[in-house]
Amino acid sequence: MLRDASCEISKGATSITASQRPRRRLGKQLWVCVLLATAWGAQAQSYFSELVVFGDSLLDSGNYGSDRRATNQLTDGSGQFAQISPQYLADFLGLDLLPAIEGGTNYAVGGYQTQNVLDSINGEGINTAFFGGGTSPAYLDQLANQINPRALVFINGGGNDLNAIFASVAPAAVPAAIGDRVGNFNAAVMALDQAGANYIMVSNVPDLSLTPGPQAAFAAGFYNAAAMASISASTDGFNTLLAMTSTSSLAANMIPVDLDGALKFIMANADAYGIANGVFNGLDQRFMCYSGGSGGCFEHPVYGLNGAAPDPRKLVFNDALHPTEITSEIVGDYLIDIVAAPGKIGLLPELGFSAAIGQAQITASQLRQSRWGEVKPRLFVATHVANAEVSGVESAETDNSSLFIGRTFAASEAVIYGFSASLGKQELDLDNTQLEADHWGVNGMLGLQRGNLFIESQVGLAVLAFNDLRRDIKLGAKMVSAVGDTDGFALNLEILTGLNLLSSSTWKLGPAVGVQLARSLVKGYAESGGEMSNYRWNEQKRDRQILRVGLIAKGALSERATLFAEIFAGKDFADKEFHVEVKNTQLLFSEYSMPALLMEDQSEINVNVGSSIKIGTEGSVEIYHSYSDRSENAQSLSVGYSMVF
């Protein structure tokens, strides 16, 4: 049956084949726990096969050799460069991201314009040997133009193009020049799409007027306010055109990355990050750089490389354009949220299944009272309380509690039917995420007996209200919360039939076979409060289709106590891979699909035991316990009281 359980799950690889390109408390759920163990958000390492990066210096992890990249060197005297944002993403995914000249999958090169990015994908490749680096053939040439459908591609470009346009193109010709460069970018995306890329993260360009170079020129009088406004407008024009044109006629999922919004967020929250802020020596400290040796920016007199107390973590920029380690760290967290959030929100339908679990369990316990025995009408009340602490899955912890009241009726000596109503609450707490739902539900049940044969069935509806959904987003040392609400429902149907093979009047034993069908639907909703990570999540619909076979037994321990035991082998024949449709509400990009849930193992063994103890002349207490091998220590308990009426 659908089961509740506590579970302890350690991280591990979950392997699937993507053959299609998809557009502390008492009581918690085995069902949810099992799904948590295989959820994409908690098992990011298990889905994407590789992280492939194309672009310019903002993403270059060392294609000029010697691990050189456009960020500050660490202040520990090691001479090592600080990590850049895609490296944080790679670490989260558990994937390597070596420079392409070392045989890795990072093809981004400092100084690249969009045409160079295109060449690194399906043109001349990379050649930085003149600067002490190395060479690498174009990415698609190495793969014979066939990308693994589970590869995650990250591409940026345009900043160097815009700088070149500002320096060499007449103002009247700037829009056309920007259009040409966006065309190069889109050609690069098209090439990846046509080679089978399924997931392409596409970054916009940060507002170049908010970088130290133009700000220094403005402070020195080389740029006026109109020039600064033109730079900002041109950047915005590039980003708008990119969003409008790059998503047309593509099979791949275009996943927008708002680097422009990320930079503006960091600027607006400089104080919260301990970043130097306010005017100093006539210049906004946020636009001062750590290393001014290459020119183009004002080195901070205190926190700069040659300052009184050098500290790059006090500054946004390393030089005239590139970020310091703290900026890369914050952006890295933002990138991680982009790929992790769908796996968290993708668990919402499992709260619907959680409600169905309780309904199925309580209904089964009532039908079991009349199995191979006298059919008696009963009035019953029951509680379903469950708990699970899941280790290794982002500190996940679930709570589930429900209250049931119902009535059964004896239509004849062989037929029993009944109804129940329930109220309950489900909670799923993951790291940085709280998913909660209140529900009300109704159930109908029917049991038939003929000799040693029985058939039991039940159908249920649970209506859920998700009134306080909160997804906390870690961005460096600061946390923001994306909040929203929605509703949904869960339907479940179960049929079980069994045959007694014993001739004993007090003990029954025989085979049983059953089917369980369930559907959970969560309506779409939009978040707010998440800064550049506000999303609109589309409707999610998920099915369960479980066939189970086993042995069941029932017998009298005494005149007042009855014992039952069951063991089932089951398999879920529904889909094992699920996706969620999502759109960043801050950007013009279209919606896209992301992996949300993976079913690692759709088979399980369930062992269920319980007892019914008579209280007085007409009452009885039912106790039900279940164990499953689908995860370690997966078990559940329910208690009910019924009275012949």
Side-chain angles (χ1 to χ4, degrees):
M1 301 179 68
L2 299 176
R3 303 295 179 202
D4 280 15
S6 61
C7 54
E8 182 175 342
I9 304 168
S10 60
K11 288 184 179 178
T14 302
S15 176
I16 71 164
T17 300
S19 58
Q20 297 181 344
R21 301 171 64 185
R23 295 285 199 205
R24 139 202 339 140
R25 295 172 287 268
L26 181 67
K28 281 200 171 162
Q29 308 92 326
L30 165 63
W31 192 275
V32 172
C33 293
V34 170
L35 291 163
L36 278 172
T38 54
W40 152 240
Q43 294 287 343
Q45 299 89 334
S46 67
Y47 191 88
F48 292 123
S49 60
E50 60 182 352
L51 176 61
V52 189
V53 175
F54 304 95
D56 55 31
S57 55
L58 294 181
L59 305 185
D60 184 358
S61 63
N63 274 307
Y64 281 105
S66 302
D67 202 36
R68 288 176 290 177
R69 44 186 178 264
T71 188
N72 59 278
Q73 289 187 332
L74 299 176
T75 58
D76 59 5
S78 65
Q80 299 296 312
F81 291 88
Q83 287 202 132
I84 59 173
S85 58
Q87 293 178 303
Y88 287 97
L89 176 59
D91 289 345
F92 171 77
L93 296 174
L95 299 172
D96 292 328
L97 188 61
L98 296 173
I101 64 168
E102 299 176 13
T105 57
N106 191 333
Y107 292 78
V109 178
Y112 265 15
Q113 297 185 28
T114 51
Q115 181 60 56
N116 306 119
V117 173
L118 178 58
D119 287 340
S120 70
I121 294 173
N122 64 354
E124 299 175 357
I126 293 174
N127 188 345
T128 61
F130 180 80
F131 301 97
T135 62
S136 173
Y139 174 65
L140 294 183
D141 288 346
Q142 298 183 55
L143 298 182
N145 210 46
Q146 186 62 50
I147 298 176
N148 188 314
R150 291 199 289 125
L152 177 62
V153 181
F154 183 14
I155 180 171
N156 87 322
N160 293 317
D161 298 75
L162 289 171
N163 284 329
I165 290 171
F166 298 151
S168 61
V169 175
V174 166
I178 290 176
D180 290 340
R181 306 306 174 97
V182 172
N184 291 336
F185 197 115
N186 287 330
V189 172
M190 287 287 291
L192 294 167
D193 172 67
Q194 292 169 4
N198 216 6
Y199 305 97
I200 307 176
M201 299 174 69
V202 176
S203 173
N204 59 19
V205 177
D207 188 342
L208 296 180
S209 72
L210 300 179
T211 58
Q215 288 289 328
F218 179 67
F222 296 110
Y223 284 169
N224 56 24
M228 296 293 284
S230 177
I231 293 173
S232 182
S234 296
T235 305
D236 184 63
F238 181 96
N239 291 337
T240 300
L241 191 58
L242 177 65
M244 293 175 61
T245 62
S246 62
T247 58
S248 60
S249 303
L250 295 180
N253 294 290
M254 298 287 292
I255 307 163
V257 177
D258 190 9
L259 284 189
D260 181 44
L263 176 60
K264 291 174 180 175
F265 170 79
I266 295 170
M267 291 285 194
N269 292 275
D271 291 337
Y273 288 112
I275 293 173
N277 196 7
V279 176
F280 186 76
N281 289 344
L283 185 66
D284 190 326
Q285 295 179 81
R286 296 174 300 173
F287 302 116
M288 293 182 180
C289 61
Y290 176 68
S291 178
S294 58
C297 65
F298 289 113
E299 185 175 303
H300 198 284
V302 178
Y303 303 121
L305 180 61
N306 300 296
D311 186 355
R313 296 189 66 84
K314 291 289 187 179
L315 301 168
V316 177
F317 293 98
N318 179 56
D319 51 30
L321 180 63
H322 304 104
T324 55
E325 60 181 299
I326 188 172
T327 303
S328 292
E329 177 184 306
I330 297 166
V331 174
D333 282 342
Y334 165 55
L335 298 179
I336 290 170
D337 180 71
I338 291 174
V339 298
K344 297 176 180 179
I345 300 304
L347 290 174
L348 283 175
E350 311 321 316
L351 296 185
F353 287 130
S354 173
I357 288 169
Q359 290 180 316
Q361 181 170 322
I362 297 300
T363 300
S365 69
Q366 294 305 312
L367 290 173
R368 195 179 293 112
Q369 300 303 304
S370 299
R371 181 188 300 173
W372 291 320
E374 183 180 359
V375 174
K376 294 182 178 181
R378 294 175 180 270
L379 181 67
F380 66 90
V381 60
T383 61
H384 174 78
V385 184
N387 169 265
E389 295 182 5
V390 188
S391 66
V393 187
E394 298 192 72
S395 302
E397 179 177 306
T398 58
D399 284 294
N400 179 22
S401 58
S402 299
L403 176 66
F404 294 80
I405 186 169
R407 174 81 184 271
T408 59
F409 303 86
S412 69
E413 293 183 353
V415 179
I416 186 170
Y417 67 96
F419 307 93
S420 69
S422 62
L423 294 172
K425 183 173 184 176
Q426 290 72 42
E427 296 182 16
L428 171 59
D429 294 333
L430 297 119
D431 185 27
N432 299 337
T433 304
Q434 289 186 344
L435 307 179
E436 299 180 358
D438 296 313
H439 90 270
W440 62 265
V442 292
N443 260 70
M445 66 193 86
L446 175 65
L448 309 172
Q449 297 189 73
R450 184 165 185 173
N452 289 331
L453 178 71
F454 75 84
I455 301 175
E456 297 171 354
S457 63
Q458 70 94 12
V459 61
L461 166 68
V463 179
L464 293 95
F466 303 88
N467 293 323
D468 188 21
L469 298 174
R470 191 187 81 216
R471 187 174 58 85
D472 291 340
I473 305 162
K474 177 184 177 296
L475 298 172
K478 183 176 173 59
M479 196 82 73
V480 299
S481 297
V483 298
D485 60 82
T486 186
D487 51 45
F489 65 85
L491 294 169
N492 69 87
L493 169 68
E494 288 198 20
I495 301 175
L496 178 69
T497 182
L499 179 66
N500 174 39
L501 298 180
L502 295 182
S503 59
S504 170
S505 61
T506 57
W507 288 92
K508 314 294 182 182
L509 173 67
V513 60
V515 63
Q516 305 163 341
L517 305 175
R519 168 167 290 181
S520 180
L521 182 144
V522 178
K523 296 179 181 178
Y525 74 99
E527 297 174 325
S528 62
E531 299 293 342
M532 60 277 190
S533 290
N534 286 318
Y535 298 111
R536 187 182 71 227
W537 306 96
N538 279 9
E539 178 182 280
Q540 299 185 67
K541 182 173 65 176
R542 234 163 258 166
D543 293 330
R544 313 298 296 162
Q545 301 168 7
I546 299 175
L547 176 66
R548 60 190 181 121
V549 296
L551 290 173
I552 57 177
K554 180 180 179 180
L557 296 176
S558 68
E559 292 183 355
R560 306 190 68 83
T562 301
L563 176 71
F564 78 88
E566 304 172 341
I567 181 169
F568 288 103
K571 181 175 177 60
D572 188 351
F573 290 90
D575 293 338
K576 65 184 300 182
E577 178 180 352
F578 302 96
H579 292 74
V580 58
E581 302 290 329
V582 56
K583 184 185 187 306
N584 187 314
T585 59
Q586 313 296 113
L587 302 173
L588 296 176
F589 282 77
S590 300
E591 67 182 30
Y592 55 95
S593 177
M594 286 290 282
L597 188 69
L598 295 173
M599 296 291 293
E600 181 180 31
D601 186 359
Q602 294 178 284
S603 300
E604 66 176 328
I605 300 294
N606 282 334
V607 178
N608 312 311
V609 295
S611 179
S612 177
I613 303 172
K614 289 185 178 180
I615 305 295
T617 58
E618 302 294 344
S620 63
V621 173
E622 295 85 37
I623 303 173
Y624 177 97
H625 182 269
S626 175
Y627 175 87
S628 172
D629 71 343
R630 199 162 178 176
S631 67
E632 183 180 351
N633 194 33
Q635 52 190 319
S636 64
L637 180 69
S638 65
V639 178
Y641 175 80
S642 64
M643 181 175 62
V644 176
F645 193 85

